């Protein structure tokens, strides 16, 4: 178990340094480049946050450690994924707006049946 934790920590540190370098490079970029890289920065932050949890087995951790830039590799793999934040955002906004409509209709019905003072 101790070795596993050491491997996890090593991977997290490697990925964290990779992200720090990415951000440092952005600081020296043009505003346009920074804006273009905003999505990548956020997604890389989210991927890095995943590695605070214990969800990979030893072989997976070792495989990622063998990569020169495991965070970049994970991000590149994410870009190939079929699902997207846009789908999740669309569902969230759709559900939220439906709830708002229900609340509005409920309030309107309640107001209609209240006696005037």
């Amino acid at each position: 178990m101790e070795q596993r934790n050491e491997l996890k920590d090593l991977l997290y540190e490697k990925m964290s340094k990779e992200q720090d370098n990415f951000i440092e490079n952005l600081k020296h970029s043009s505003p346009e480049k920074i804006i273009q890289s905003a999505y990548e920065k956020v997604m890389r932050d989210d991927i890095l946050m995943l590695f605070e949890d214990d969800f990979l087995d030893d072989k997976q951790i070792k495989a990622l450690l063998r990569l020169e830039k495991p965070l970049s590799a994970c991000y590149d793999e994410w870009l190939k994924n079929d699902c997207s934040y846009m789908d999740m955002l669309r569902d969230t906004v759709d559900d939220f707006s439906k709830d708002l409509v229900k609340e509005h209709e409920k309030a309107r019905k309640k107001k209609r049946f209240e006696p005037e003072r």
Side-chain angles (χ1 to χ4, degrees), residues 93-105:
V93 171
D94 183 54
D95 291 344
F96 174 66
S97 61
K98 285 177 182 174
D99 290 344
L100 286 175
V101 167
K102 288 178 188 175
E103 288 175 24
H104 177 73
E105 289 173 352

Side-chain angles (χ1 to χ4, degrees), residues 8-101:
K8 279 179 42 188
D9 291 346
L10 188 62
L11 178 59
Y12 185 83
E13 287 172 25
K14 184 175 185 176
M15 293 174 81
S16 187
K17 284 180 186 175
E18 184 182 344
Q19 184 67 348
D20 290 345
N21 289 336
F22 177 80
I23 292 168
E24 193 58 37
N25 288 336
L26 279 180
K27 289 178 182 178
H28 302 289
S29 299
S30 68
E32 291 81 16
K33 172 67 175 163
I34 293 169
I35 290 168
Q36 290 172 353
S37 300
Y39 176 82
E40 182 175 359
K41 191 260 184 220
V42 169
M43 293 310 300
R44 289 167 60 105
D45 283 342
D46 285 352
I47 292 167
L48 186 58
M49 194 182 315
L50 288 174
F51 287 84
E52 293 174 2
D53 294 335
D54 188 16
F55 71 103
L56 300 176
D57 65 32
D58 291 354
K59 289 180 182 180
Q60 291 171 298
I61 293 169
K62 288 176 184 177
L64 288 168
L65 274 169
R66 286 187 205 102
L67 298 174
E68 183 180 342
K69 294 185 176 184
L71 182 57
S72 294
C74 288
Y75 173 73
D76 291 343
E77 192 63 29
W78 163 254
L79 291 178
K80 298 176 198 173
N81 197 324
D82 285 340
C83 76
S84 75
Y85 265 174
M86 293 307 291
D87 293 335
M88 291 184 284
L89 285 172
R90 187 177 297 108
D91 290 345
T92 299
V93 171
D94 183 54
D95 291 344
F96 174 66
S97 61
K98 285 177 182 174
D99 290 344
L100 286 175
V101 167

